């Protein structure tokens, strides 16, 4: 016979939160679904390492599910599915809901760009018979992490005649890869005295691309010339074509399971494709026509401040919602002010090795589900939208009712640093918005780590939000 619970135990059960590991609160069937979902995500992450590649993948998958290109002068009925591609770098998908857009849309917004190393407009040079590419890093990277990491080259070259050439080198078996060198420890006394943030400087992130000279009796920069000849033979380009190119150097490493128990995923680009993929799958797999129009936004340029016409500090989302409203004879603001949004972006997972920048009671933890972040920013909540208590309550009630595992977490301890998401730009449109997403270990590194269960929880959270009344 079981013993009766004490008054203390009863009060603890009634009054205290119980932040349990996911494996202790879900059954084996649900955990198996999480493991299966992770396999699709791993393939997606391996195959799509730039915002252009992700955007193309989204459009391809959307077309398979019956989405058609949005016509702002068209006619749509509940259940119709549309897509909008913004300059090949940002995408909006929408499933028209049963209710009028005047009652608002249910929006989830993630970004599909990741920290990386971009080529400068005039990148190729030769030094001491080694050919290198000059770069300009993109987003908030820790520069010392990027040397000695195998790199692949992705992007587009627009030639003088306007033809476009897609570049993807270093991902397939047998293809060459590239690397940024570092100084050997035997000669690094001076370098070792630098502060960590200056251990590698921006102008030292030079990519090695070759070392064999063009076979000629005379001439200068023959290694550079040999590289250009190879590129000309394969792609028909000349050095001037680099001026109108967008080429990114990204880690060539493949996505892997981490740990004996295979509970974690390691790879490049979790921030923020780990939220973009669940958001995408949620809208693609909606089984019923939603009450409110469901909108999935996949934006570019978040890692550099969301500026530019493919970032969410521009007007492309506002215009899209306005076009939907106009189809019903409404003003865009009529729909925007009634809309609700999940800003789907990652948060920092508590790292027991580097625990001091975290405040443990208010941190996000791996394997405890999607993390809800009421505000980001830094210092005195600078640069954040700070979601209202009413909206946080509404969103978490949706999650709880559907048995979605969720947790609440801040981005580290007060004054330890900080960061931002697209939430403030969505809030500027008079939309209720809160940050939700996957906790990440080693965020912004060339190789990040997430929990498979947290990825699946994010999928379920987006699905239930799209489906909510």
């Amino acid at each position: 016979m079981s013993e009766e619970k004490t008054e203390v135990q009863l009060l603890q059960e009634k009054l205290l939160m119980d932040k349990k590991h996911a494996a202790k609160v879900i059954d084996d069937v649900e955990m198996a679904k999480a493991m299966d979902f992770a396999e699709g995500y791993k393939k997606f992450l391996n195959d799509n390492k730039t915002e252009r590649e992700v955007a193309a993948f989204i459009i391809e998958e959307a077309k398979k599910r019956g989405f058609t290109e949005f016509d702002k002068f068209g006619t749509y009925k509940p259940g119709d599915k549309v897509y909008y591609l913004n300059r090949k770098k940002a995408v909006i998908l929408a499933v028209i809901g049963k209710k009028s857009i005047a009652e608002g849309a249910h929006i989830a917004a993630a970004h599909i760009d990741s920290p990386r190393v971009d080529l400068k407009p005039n990148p190729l040079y030769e030094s001491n018979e080694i050919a290198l590419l000059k770069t300009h890093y993109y987003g908030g990277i820790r520069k010392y992490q990027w040397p000695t990491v195998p790199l692949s080259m992705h992007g587009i070259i627009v030639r003088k005649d306007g033809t476009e050439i897609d570049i993807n080198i270093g991902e397939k078996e047998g293809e060459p890869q590239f690397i940024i060198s570092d100084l050997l420890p035997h000669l690094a006394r001076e370098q070792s005295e630098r502060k960590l943030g200056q251990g590698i400087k921006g102008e030292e992130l030079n990519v090695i691309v070759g070392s064999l000279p063009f076979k000629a009796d005379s001439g200068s920069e023959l290694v550079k010339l040999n590289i250009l000849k190879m590129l000309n033979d394969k792609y028909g380009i000349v050095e001037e074509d680099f001026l109108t190119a967008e080429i990114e150097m990204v880690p060539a490493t493949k996505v892997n399971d981490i740990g004996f128990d295979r509970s974690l995923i390691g790879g490049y680009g979790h921030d923020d494709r780990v939220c973009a993929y669940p958001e995408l799958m949620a809208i693609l797999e909606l089984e019923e026509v939603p009450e409110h129009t469901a909108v999935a936004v996949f934006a570019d340029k978040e890692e550099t401040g969301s500026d530019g016409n493919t970032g969410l500090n521009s007007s492309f989302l506002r215009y899209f919602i306005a076009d939907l409203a106009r189809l019903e004879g409404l003003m865009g603001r009529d729909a925007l002010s009634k809309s609700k949004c999940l800003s789907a972006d990652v948060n920092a997972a508590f790292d027991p090795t580097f625990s001091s920048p975290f405040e443990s009671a208010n941190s996000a933890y791996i394997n405890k589900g999607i993390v809800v972040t009421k505000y980001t920013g830094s210092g005195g909540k600078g640069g954040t939208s700070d979601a209202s208590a009413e909206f946080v309550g509404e969103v978490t009630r949706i999650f709880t009712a559907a048995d979605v595992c969720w947790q609440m977490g801040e981005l580290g301890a007060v004054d330890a640093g900080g960061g931002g998401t697209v939430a403030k730009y969505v809030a500027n449109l008079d939309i209720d918005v809160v940050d939700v997403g996957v906790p990440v270990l080693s965020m912004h590194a060339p190789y990040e780590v997430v929990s498979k269960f947290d990825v699946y929880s994010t999928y379920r959270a987006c699905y239930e939000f799209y489906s909510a009344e």
Side-chain angles (χ1 to χ4, degrees):
M1 180 179 291
S2 60
E3 296 182 2
E4 289 189 8
K5 293 180 180 179
T6 67
E7 182 180 8
V8 170
Q9 289 174 322
L10 291 171
L11 280 174
Q12 286 175 332
E13 290 182 3
K14 179 180 179 181
L15 301 178
L16 299 182
M17 291 188 297
D18 188 3
K19 299 180 180 179
K20 290 183 178 179
H21 189 289
K24 297 180 179 179
V25 296
I26 65 169
D27 58 28
D28 291 342
V29 173
E30 193 72 359
M31 185 59 78
K33 289 180 181 179
M35 299 300 108
D36 289 342
F37 187 82
E39 294 306 305
Y41 171 61
K42 286 159 57 180
K43 185 178 187 311
F44 162 79
L45 208 60
N46 268 330
D47 295 345
N48 303 280
K49 292 190 173 182
T50 71
E51 67 284 355
R52 286 179 180 269
E53 291 168 356
V54 175
F57 173 84
I58 291 170
I59 295 300
E60 180 182 359
E61 293 300 308
K63 287 180 177 179
K64 291 178 184 177
R65 307 297 181 103
F67 285 73
T68 60
E69 187 171 7
F70 178 60
D71 179 0
K72 63 183 180 181
F73 300 111
T75 302
Y76 296 102
K77 64 182 184 302
D80 285 346
K81 305 173 182 179
V82 296
Y83 70 83
Y84 167 69
L85 177 61
N86 180 12
R87 297 169 174 86
K88 301 180 182 179
K89 295 183 181 182
V91 183
I92 298 177
L93 304 182
V95 178
I96 307 302
K98 298 175 183 177
K99 295 181 179 180
S100 166
I101 196 68
E103 297 191 43
H106 281 197
I107 304 167
H111 69 89
I112 55 178
D113 61 319
S114 295
R116 59 179 190 258
V117 178
D118 289 346
L119 296 194
K120 288 188 176 184
N122 187 20
L124 184 60
Y125 74 103
E126 178 180 335
S127 179
N128 298 96
E129 298 184 306
I130 295 178
L132 303 103
L133 296 170
K134 299 294 294 184
T135 69
H136 194 137
Y137 63 92
Y138 174 98
I141 70 170
R142 305 188 79 178
K143 295 184 283 291
Y144 74 86
Q145 295 177 331
W146 286 76
T148 73
V149 174
L151 300 173
S152 56
M153 180 183 293
H154 297 243
I156 185 172
I157 294 175
V158 181
R159 298 194 302 186
K160 287 188 291 185
D161 62 3
T163 57
E164 298 179 0
I165 301 170
D166 290 324
I167 301 292
N168 189 325
I169 305 171
E171 297 292 346
K172 296 178 181 177
E173 188 72 27
E175 286 186 337
Q177 295 179 343
F178 312 94
I179 202 159
I180 298 168
S181 63
D182 197 2
L183 193 57
L184 67 165
H186 310 71
L187 302 178
R189 180 178 298 174
E190 181 181 343
Q191 183 193 45
S192 297
E193 292 176 355
R194 298 177 183 177
K195 291 184 178 180
L196 185 62
Q198 291 295 313
I200 295 292
K201 299 178 181 180
E203 291 294 351
E204 293 171 339
L205 294 172
N206 302 316
V207 181
I208 295 174
V209 295
S211 62
L212 294 178
F214 180 73
K215 294 180 179 179
D217 295 332
S218 63
S220 61
E221 296 189 311
L222 294 181
V223 177
K224 174 181 175 179
L225 183 64
N226 193 43
I227 297 299
L228 283 171
K229 183 178 184 304
M230 295 173 68
L231 292 173
N232 183 263
D233 290 344
K234 184 169 184 177
Y235 300 108
I237 63 173
V238 297
E239 184 177 16
E240 189 177 354
D241 292 325
F242 280 111
L243 298 176
T244 52
E246 289 182 1
I247 298 179
E248 306 171 14
M249 307 302 300
V250 300
T253 50
K254 298 301 181 183
V255 178
N256 293 289
D257 288 343
I258 300 295
F260 290 117
D261 56 7
R262 296 179 176 270
S263 61
L264 307 174
I265 306 171
Y268 165 71
H270 286 313
D271 182 8
D272 183 34
R273 293 169 197 142
V274 75
C275 296
Y277 181 80
E279 175 187 317
L280 171 64
M281 290 299 107
I283 197 166
L284 293 183
E285 296 178 1
L286 281 177
E287 296 178 353
E288 305 290 340
V289 178
E291 292 295 317
H292 296 265
T293 294
V295 178
V297 183
F298 307 91
D300 182 27
K301 294 290 183 290
E302 193 275 344
E303 297 296 356
T304 56
S306 293
D307 294 314
N309 53 18
T310 54
L312 268 181
N313 197 18
S314 71
S315 298
F316 77 90
L317 172 60
R318 176 164 62 91
Y319 290 162
F320 181 82
I321 298 297
D323 287 337
L324 288 178
R326 185 176 56 194
L327 296 178
E328 296 187 33
L330 303 168
M331 299 287 288
R333 66 187 185 189
D334 297 328
L336 289 167
S337 61
K338 294 291 186 180
S339 293
K340 300 169 184 179
C341 179
L342 300 182
S343 170
D345 206 342
V346 297
N347 201 329
F350 183 88
D351 189 332
T353 302
F354 302 101
S355 59
S356 60
F358 297 89
E359 193 269 289
S360 60
N362 289 285
S363 292
Y365 292 83
I366 60 170
N367 285 318
K368 293 190 176 180
I370 187 171
V371 56
V372 179
T373 306
K374 188 176 186 296
Y375 47 83
T376 55
S378 61
K381 297 187 179 180
T384 184
S385 65
D386 201 350
S388 70
E390 292 87 349
F391 189 56
V392 174
E394 179 180 347
V395 168
T396 54
R397 283 194 299 274
I398 292 171
F399 296 167
T400 300
D403 292 325
V404 175
C405 287
W406 64 274
Q407 58 183 309
M408 187 72 73
E410 290 189 335
L411 184 60
V414 178
D415 292 337
T421 68
V422 301
K424 62 182 179 180
Y425 305 113
V426 175
N428 287 344
L429 299 176
D430 196 24
I431 296 174
D432 282 324
V433 59
V434 66
D435 281 301
V436 301
V438 176
V440 178
L441 288 168
S442 303
M443 190 191 300
H444 279 213
Y447 197 84
E448 304 166 310
V449 177
V450 299
S451 153
K452 292 180 179 180
F453 179 76
D454 296 338
V455 179
Y456 178 67
S457 295
T458 302
Y459 158 76
R460 290 212 55 229
C462 290
Y463 187 95
E464 296 299 335
F465 181 70
Y466 286 141
S467 305
E469 293 186 1

